[in-house]
């Protein structure tokens, strides 16, 4: 099921405009169930002083059960032609390149297998874009879940040895709070351990960013709590084009725009996540702002439009 969905996803990506680049994607390998690390899927477009590239790390085989709600969810899934159980969520990271900066926003799951095998596409994606791990000078981490920070380490060593690691100060504070970890349920303790391993691996290169502050010129981190206590989104000032990297504001571009108040299984506070989601959707729909999301259909660029009391996601077509 997962592999069929991934194949469809890549087929969809291949119909994108000429700026799309799919390197080394071999359908026979994917059909045979090989992991995403054997190829690389990336998509690149200009954004002011930057070139932004979406990198596909893998596809999480999420199901209907991850979303808290009733028949209304099944109705949306049926309307958009998603099978009765599958709700595949791509895991994407984003590369930003300017004349003097090479920046990664999130790093995918890497070798972590919390959602099964088949992840780790960020590093081959970077290689296909001509970027070595040592070239990355800054990683901006939206939040400390495994599908965003797993790719930052191999074993307990930093993958991006020359990079500063920028993380929201609320998020860093939460995952390094020993009292919080002590009272967390057993199955969540591993998440704390992984986050701490990553922060330790980057040591003195970790910078805690205050809400609304810049991690780099033109890149500000905005606190948007609920999915995690310190979940941040990233506003990218591309001159005449502004882009909001909304990270895990949504986990299905179809379900969460049609039903913005629906909770999601990995939210630390689903109600607060819904408040944040509506606030962001209102902002980007009013400003007709471009968004990029970690779990939006690859490559994950689009617009969110108002639709009555809900919203609608429209994929961007780049020139
Ligand atoms: Zn995520």
């Amino acid at each position: 099921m997962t592999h069929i969905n991934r194949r469809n996803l890549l087929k969809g990506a291949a119909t994108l405009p000429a700026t799309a680049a799919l390197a080394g994607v071999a359908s026979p390998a994917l059909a045979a169930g090989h992991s995403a690390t054997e190829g690389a899927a990336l998509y690149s477009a200009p954004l002011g002083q930057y070139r932004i590239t979406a990198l596909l790390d893998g596809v999480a085989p999420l199901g209907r059960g991850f979303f808290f709600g009733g028949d209304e969810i099944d109705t949306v899934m049926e309307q958009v032609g998603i099978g009765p159980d599958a709700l595949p969520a791509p895991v994407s990271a984003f590369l930003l390149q300017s004349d003097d900066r090479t920046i990664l926003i999130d790093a995918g799951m890497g070798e972590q297998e919390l959602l099964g095998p088949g992840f780790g596409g960020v590093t081959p994606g970077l290689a296909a874009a001509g970027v070595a791990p040592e070239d990355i000078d800054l990683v901006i981490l939206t939040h400390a879940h495994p599908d965003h920070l797993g790719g930052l380490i191999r074993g307990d060593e930093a993958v991006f040895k020359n990079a500063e690691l920028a993380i929201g100060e609320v998020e860093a504070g939460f995952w390094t709070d020993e009292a919080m970890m002590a009272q967390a349920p057993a199955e969540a303790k591993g998440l704390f351990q992984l986050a701490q391993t990553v922060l330790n691996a980057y040591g003195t290169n970790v910078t805690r960013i205050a809400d609304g502050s810049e991690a780099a010129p033109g890149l500000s981190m905005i606190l948007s709590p609920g999915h995690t206590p310190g979940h941040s989104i990233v506003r990218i000032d591309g001159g005449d084009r502004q882009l909001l990297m909304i990270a895990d504001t949504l986990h299905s571009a179809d379900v969460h725009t049609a039903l913005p108040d629906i909770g999601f299984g990995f939210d630390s506070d689903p109600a607060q996540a819904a408040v944040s989601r509506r606030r962001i959707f209102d902002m980007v729909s009013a400003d007709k702002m471009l968004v990029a999301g970690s779990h939006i259909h690859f490559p994950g660029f689009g617009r969110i439009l108002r639709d009555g009391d809900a919203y609608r996601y429209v994929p961007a077509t780049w020139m």
Side-chain angles (χ1 to χ4, degrees), residues 91 143 145 147-148 227 247-248 251 294-295:
V91 173
H143 62 296
H145 273 172
D147 54 321
H148 299 258
H227 178 59
D248 283 26
H251 289 85
S294 309
H295 304 304

Side-chain angles (χ1 to χ4, degrees), residues 49-50 96 214-221 234-239 242-243:
Q49 62 176 310
Y50 293 107
L96 288 167
E214 288 190 329
L219 300 179
S220 34
M221 296 184 73
V234 184
R235 187 182 185 110
I236 304 168
D237 182 355
Q242 307 289 308
L243 184 141

Side-chain angles (χ1 to χ4, degrees), residues 265-280:
F266 297 140
D267 290 342
S268 64
D269 184 338
Q272 190 180 36
V275 170
S276 289
R277 185 176 304 119
R278 276 199 179 266
R279 190 175 59 232
I280 293 165

Side-chain angles (χ1 to χ4, degrees), residues 15 43 54 58 94 112 115 126 146 167 175 182-183 185 191-192 211 229 235 255 280 285 301 319:
T15 64
Y43 171 87
F94 296 89
Q112 303 300 318
L115 292 173
L126 287 171
I167 178 172
W175 294 103
Q183 71 186 49
L191 298 179
F192 280 86
D211 179 21
R235 187 182 185 110
V255 171
I280 293 165
S285 57
F301 299 107
M319 301 306 291

Side-chain angles (χ1 to χ4, degrees), residues 27 33 38 42 54 57 88-89 134-135 154 186 196 227 249 251 271 273 284 316:
S27 321
E38 292 180 336
L42 60 158
D57 191 59
E134 309 79 67
D135 298 337
R154 194 165 296 122
Q196 291 177 11
H227 178 59
T249 298
H251 289 85
V284 297

Side-chain angles (χ1 to χ4, degrees), residues 177-186 189 192:
D177 184 331
E178 293 301 330
M180 203 66 82
M181 181 172 167
Q183 71 186 49
K189 288 200 200 307
F192 280 86

